[in-house]
Amino acid sequence: DKYGADALRFMLVTGNAPGNDMRFSYTKIESARNFANKIWNASRFIMMNMAGKTVKNASKDELQPVDRWILSRMNTTVKEVTENMEKFELGIAAQKIYDFIWDDLCDWYIEMVKPRLYNTDDAMSQNAALSTLKKVLISALKLLHPYMPFITEEIYCTVREECADNDTPESIMIADWPIYDIELDYAEDEKDIELIKEAVKGIRNVRSS
């Protein structure tokens, strides 16, 4: 009643090896609830910026390096999570989904594209950012759905309604599972953006010390 079924499910499946007993932890369940809040807030931000706009699928040439980086990271996560799930390594898969959503999507990509979202003078760049955000969010929700079925269904249906996207299934429960796509393997862009991330982290460390 206090934390929600999704947070409880996610807490029970992460941070423990199969076959082992685990101690119930309110700290862990609070962490899972915070993760759900993080997803909810990020989704609200994305939908707020998509409101009133017709978001078209961006072509490869319209994507900027940071767009290709997050798509490539998502693509790798899809591949690895699928492999883990097929081996019943559910806790490992859940941790990879958590890291991708919290770190790559929320803490880095969304922050990096905010100037483009607010820049009404460059419609193509803004559309590419929104198209990428939508694609990555939907794929991330699909990966997370087995663990957090309620919040992922709510967000998926809301995004579908906000975008008037009648070409996608009406429920995430019957939507196709994400598939690894070699065309989204942007190794050079991943390398470049990771270098920028390391520089930013270094600057933050210097400032904090």
Side-chain angles (χ1 to χ4, degrees):
D1 289 341
K2 185 174 181 180
Y3 299 105
D6 280 340
L8 177 62
R9 285 167 62 99
F10 196 81
M11 184 277 286
L12 290 173
V13 81
T14 53
N16 192 46
N20 289 346
D21 293 335
M22 67 183 298
R23 186 181 299 276
F24 183 87
S25 169
Y26 280 107
T27 301
K28 287 184 178 180
I29 200 170
E30 286 174 3
S31 177
R33 180 202 57 190
N34 293 341
F35 178 47
N37 287 340
K38 185 88 167 179
I39 299 165
W40 186 261
N41 290 333
S43 301
R44 285 179 59 195
F45 173 80
I46 294 170
M47 287 185 283
M48 177 183 69
N49 281 277
M50 288 195 300
K53 300 182 181 72
T54 301
V55 181
K56 301 177 182 178
N57 290 331
S59 66
K60 183 177 179 180
D61 293 335
E62 294 172 339
L63 298 174
Q64 295 193 12
V66 69
D67 302 328
R68 293 192 290 270
W69 165 75
I70 194 65
L71 288 170
S72 189
R73 287 289 305 121
M74 178 201 72
N75 201 39
T76 301
T77 304
V78 165
K79 181 181 180 181
E80 292 179 352
V81 166
T82 303
E83 290 173 351
N84 290 137
M85 284 189 165
E86 288 175 347
K87 297 175 184 177
F88 298 101
E89 298 169 344
L90 304 182
I92 297 174
Q95 187 61 49
K96 289 179 179 177
I97 299 168
Y98 177 95
D99 292 341
F100 173 75
I101 293 175
W102 191 291
D103 189 30
D104 293 335
L105 176 58
C106 296
D107 284 356
W108 285 102
Y109 183 69
I110 288 179
E111 294 302 319
M112 286 177 167
V113 298
K114 277 182 178 179
R116 292 163 60 195
L117 298 178
Y118 301 148
N119 183 8
T120 56
D121 296 330
D122 192 344
M124 187 175 73
S125 176
Q126 185 186 68
N127 181 78
L130 289 171
S131 173
T132 303
L133 279 168
K134 179 185 173 185
K135 183 172 184 176
V136 172
L137 175 63
I138 294 297
S139 294
L141 291 174
K142 290 178 179 179
L143 293 179
L144 185 62
H145 181 64
Y147 301 96
M148 291 185 160
F150 301 106
I151 189 174
T152 51
E153 171 75 354
E154 179 69 20
I155 295 172
Y156 174 90
C157 292
T158 304
V159 171
R160 182 178 181 274
E161 182 179 343
E162 290 287 333
C163 297
D165 192 352
N166 297 322
D167 295 330
T168 57
E170 61 184 12
S171 169
I172 197 172
M173 291 184 285
I174 56 175
D176 290 337
W177 183 257
I179 303 295
Y180 175 78
D181 184 358
I182 189 66
E183 295 295 323
L184 296 178
D185 186 7
Y186 301 117
E188 285 300 317
D189 292 294
E190 278 204 56
K191 183 179 178 181
D192 292 343
I193 298 301
E194 290 300 328
L195 182 62
I196 293 173
K197 285 173 60 181
E198 289 303 314
V200 171
K201 290 176 183 176
I203 292 169
R204 288 173 177 170
N205 289 338
V206 170
R207 289 180 62 186
S208 65
S209 62

